[in-house]
Amino acid sequence: MPDSVHTMTGTAPCTSGRPSVLVARRVFPQTLERLRQHFEVEANTTDEVWSPAELARRLQGKDGVLTTGSERISAELLAACPQLSIVANMAVGFNNFDVPALTAHRVLGTNTPDVLTETTADFGFALLLATARRMAESERFLRAGLWNRWSVDMFAGTEVHGSTLGILGMGRIGQGIARRGHHGFGMRVIYHNRSRLDAATEAACGATLVSKTELLEQADHLVLVLPYTAQNHHAIGGAELSLMKPTATLINIARGGIVDDAALAQALQAGRIAAAGLDVFEGEPRVHPDLLSVPNVVLTPHIASATLATRQAMANLAADNLIAWLTEGRALTPVNPEVLPLVVPPAALSAATAAASRPAALPPLPPSHAG
């Protein structure tokens, strides 16, 4: 079946009168059970990654869909799914959404902010530590049976405590990493962001706003936590890497495409920076082959939010968004709030339909004239 989305033969329409939703990847059983209390649910229990054509086919007759970063919600797909009213992403990022197309097609998009902030910040700092202290390199060395003596500079890494922590993108997660560095490791924290934080937040993070050039030149450890947008594509490329210290590390827990992975591999091979830690990649799950061959990089498969408690909270919030919109007409965490004045929530339409279907009230009986 071709991957392009054209005219699709749909799945059977729902005839129960309840809204119908699709869950595009495997989620927790308790999440499915919650959704089934409100909707007719089609679930991807085999956890296949569907092609665009297959996703569009399964979305026929669906009012909502729970997605992950695997599902690209494009203008073409939306045009093929006219009944769709909400796309609830189980992620804080939503670069898999064509947001202008969602709004143009009067479809609400939602994400899952806040519930993964601290967990992701924990992981970002763990990745920084593993990268700076060469943990993955040294473990591979040990597992290969190569450790047979002590050496004064064996896997000597770079200091973390008291060093300069640079953060590009100072949202909730960036602030969490800043607090860990400042309060836990006595680090000097500098950041670059679209807008300056208020003074109280800067003080709580121990953070100072600098230009992007100053950030690159001064950071001993640079952590990327900015959202992916067309403007942020390859925000870190060869030119930016050349400004960094040769002893610096680069940590990306943001999104693939923010870093030019090919340029980063070349910089690591040439020793232009000391090391990198990457949880996200361009074109993931594919990884640039040159990154797989350089020793001074720690690679993880997009797991920064992966604790059971946090993943369950993400799934619950995505389900909450579906339930709130389709049954109550409420938008909890919209990514395109500009769509809200343009649409009548499905819950309101259902109520109006139910009211219209009720028989008209009978006229009152005439007064009795009993003699």
Side-chain angles (χ1 to χ4, degrees), residues 124 127-128 131-132 221-225 249-253 276-278:
L127 190 55
L128 186 161
T131 302
H221 306 286
L222 176 61
V223 184
L224 309 180
V225 209
T249 68
L250 175 71
I251 310 300
N252 188 7
I253 58 169
L278 307 175

Side-chain angles (χ1 to χ4, degrees), residues 317-339:
L317 182 50
D320 288 343
N321 270 298
L322 288 167
I323 294 165
W325 182 247
L326 292 175
T327 69
E328 303 170 23
R330 294 187 299 118
L332 301 182
T333 57
V335 303
N336 59 336
E338 62 276 9
V339 81

Side-chain angles (χ1 to χ4, degrees), residues 275-309:
L278 307 175
D279 187 49
V280 291
F281 307 89
E282 282 193 273
E284 61 183 53
R286 296 181 301 278
V287 177
H288 195 287
D290 290 349
L291 288 173
L292 298 173
S293 63
V294 292
N296 50 336
V297 61
V298 181
L299 307 172
T300 55
H302 204 150
I303 57 170
S305 65
T307 67
L308 277 175

Side-chain angles (χ1 to χ4, degrees), residues 128-344:
L128 186 161
L129 288 168
T131 302
R133 298 302 303 273
R134 303 176 67 180
M135 291 182 186
E137 265 185 279
S138 61
E139 188 199 21
R140 290 192 296 268
F141 177 85
L142 186 150
R143 287 181 181 275
L146 300 175
W147 185 33
N148 51 36
R149 64 188 180 92
W150 179 86
S151 174
V152 68
D153 60 352
M154 183 172 67
F155 296 107
T158 56
E159 294 287 8
V160 175
H161 71 274
S163 63
T164 297
L165 170 62
I167 301 175
L168 184 57
M170 199 63 155
R172 300 176 185 90
I173 297 169
Q175 292 167 34
I177 291 169
R179 290 193 301 271
R180 284 158 176 77
H182 175 64
H183 297 290
F185 289 80
M187 301 175 84
R188 170 187 175 232
V189 180
I190 56 177
Y191 76 98
H192 183 71
N193 201 46
R194 288 179 302 176
S195 56
R196 183 170 188 167
L197 300 177
D198 62 77
T201 304
E202 281 190 341
C205 296
T208 301
L209 179 69
V210 297
S211 70
K212 184 178 177 182
T213 297
E214 290 173 314
L215 185 80
L216 294 166
E217 291 176 341
Q218 296 178 26
D220 295 308
H221 306 286
L222 176 61
V223 184
L224 309 180
V225 209
L226 64 168
Y228 180 84
T229 64
Q231 293 74 29
N232 289 339
H233 182 72
H234 287 183
I236 301 295
E240 290 77 16
L241 291 163
S242 69
L243 295 175
M244 295 177 67
K245 299 177 181 180
T247 54
T249 68
L250 175 71
I251 310 300
N252 188 7
I253 58 169
R255 279 292 184 269
I258 288 173
V259 174
D260 181 341
D261 286 352
L264 175 59
Q266 291 173 3
L268 291 167
Q269 290 166 345
R272 289 199 294 274
I273 65 171
L278 307 175
D279 187 49
V280 291
F281 307 89
E282 282 193 273
E284 61 183 53
R286 296 181 301 278
V287 177
H288 195 287
D290 290 349
L291 288 173
L292 298 173
S293 63
V294 292
N296 50 336
V297 61
V298 181
L299 307 172
T300 55
H302 204 150
I303 57 170
S305 65
T307 67
L308 277 175
T310 294
R311 287 286 170 87
Q312 287 170 345
M314 292 165 66
N316 286 339
L317 182 50
D320 288 343
N321 270 298
L322 288 167
I323 294 165
W325 182 247
L326 292 175
T327 69
E328 303 170 23
R330 294 187 299 118
L332 301 182
T333 57
V335 303
N336 59 336
E338 62 276 9
V339 81
L340 297 176
L342 307 177
V343 296
V344 178

Side-chain angles (χ1 to χ4, degrees), residues 59-90:
L59 280 172
Q60 299 307 299
K62 301 296 192 300
D63 300 285
V65 57
L66 190 156
T67 57
T68 68
S70 304
E71 294 74 49
R72 174 70 180 156
I73 306 301
S74 65
E76 191 178 17
L77 182 137
L78 292 165
C81 306
Q83 187 171 326
L84 193 62
S85 176
I86 177 174
V87 182
N89 220 31
M90 188 183 143

